[in-house]
Amino acid sequence: FLPRATDGDLGYLSGMCMSHSPYVSDQMIDLDLGKITNASRIDIYFWALAYPETMTLMTSPDDRDWSIRKGNFNTSESVTVNSPSGDPLKKISFAWSDYPAFRNLLVMMPNGTRIMSVRPRIGPFQGFYLADMKVYPPRSREAMRIRVRGG
């Protein structure tokens, strides 16, 4: 399911990947850009009906030395959008004026993070439904192709 995190498909059944429970351990997706590059923006799309209250965004030049770019950000800062098929999504974007150089990007849902459920009748959700992530180089409208490595 992990390749779904970067396939450009925002559909609920066809394009999302789901994490395990954040009540058991940290949940994360590590994106490998293939080489050190500068980025101006990242967009994260997730299912609007069940999403984590907070997430952390980290970068690394070598998959060893990590820097927190945005720690425990509140997902209420996201905007509601729809997929082409009408699925309700949340989109959160981070723009960087310093164009950080990194190879790896880690999005983490820390252990114990509360899952926000918009429709309680669906039932308690134990995971995070990630639709897509896009990383943009400086002055570009096209997202870079990235590979996902486990999480």
Side-chain angles (χ1 to χ4, degrees):
F1 290 111
L2 289 175
R4 291 183 179 186
T6 59
D7 65 0
D9 183 351
L10 298 176
Y12 171 67
L13 293 175
S14 60
M16 289 194 193
C17 57
M18 188 179 92
S19 74
H20 293 286
S21 173
Y23 303 114
V24 175
S25 63
D26 293 341
Q27 298 298 304
M28 59 195 76
I29 292 183
D30 179 351
L31 303 177
D32 184 340
L33 301 178
K35 65 179 181 176
I36 294 179
T37 190
N38 297 84
S40 63
R41 188 178 97 216
I42 178 174
D43 294 339
I44 303 172
Y45 295 84
F46 45 94
W47 195 36
L49 302 184
Y51 55 92
E53 184 175 38
T54 62
M55 290 188 274
T56 296
L57 186 65
M58 301 169 68
T59 60
S60 170
D62 55 14
D63 202 26
R64 287 187 311 271
D65 299 315
W66 292 93
S67 299
I68 295 175
R69 295 298 299 182
K70 183 79 173 176
N72 290 322
F73 61 87
N74 189 327
T75 55
S76 66
E77 299 171 16
S78 60
V79 296
T80 301
V81 297
N82 286 321
S83 72
S85 61
D87 296 310
L89 301 173
K90 292 282 191 178
K91 174 187 172 185
I92 193 159
S93 298
F94 300 100
W96 297 306
S97 59
D98 62 341
Y99 306 131
F102 56 90
R103 177 179 173 142
N104 299 87
L105 175 71
L106 185 77
V107 177
M108 183 177 69
M109 186 172 58
N111 186 8
T113 298
R114 187 169 71 154
I115 300 296
M116 310 303 289
S117 179
V118 176
R119 294 175 53 188
R121 68 180 180 83
I122 293 176
F125 288 95
Q126 297 297 315
F128 171 43
Y129 294 77
L130 179 70
D132 211 43
M133 298 177 68
K134 298 178 181 180
V135 178
Y136 297 85
R139 296 178 291 284
S140 173
R141 293 176 186 242
E142 294 295 320
M144 288 183 268
R145 300 229 4 105
I146 49 184
R147 295 174 298 185
V148 179
R149 283 192 351 200

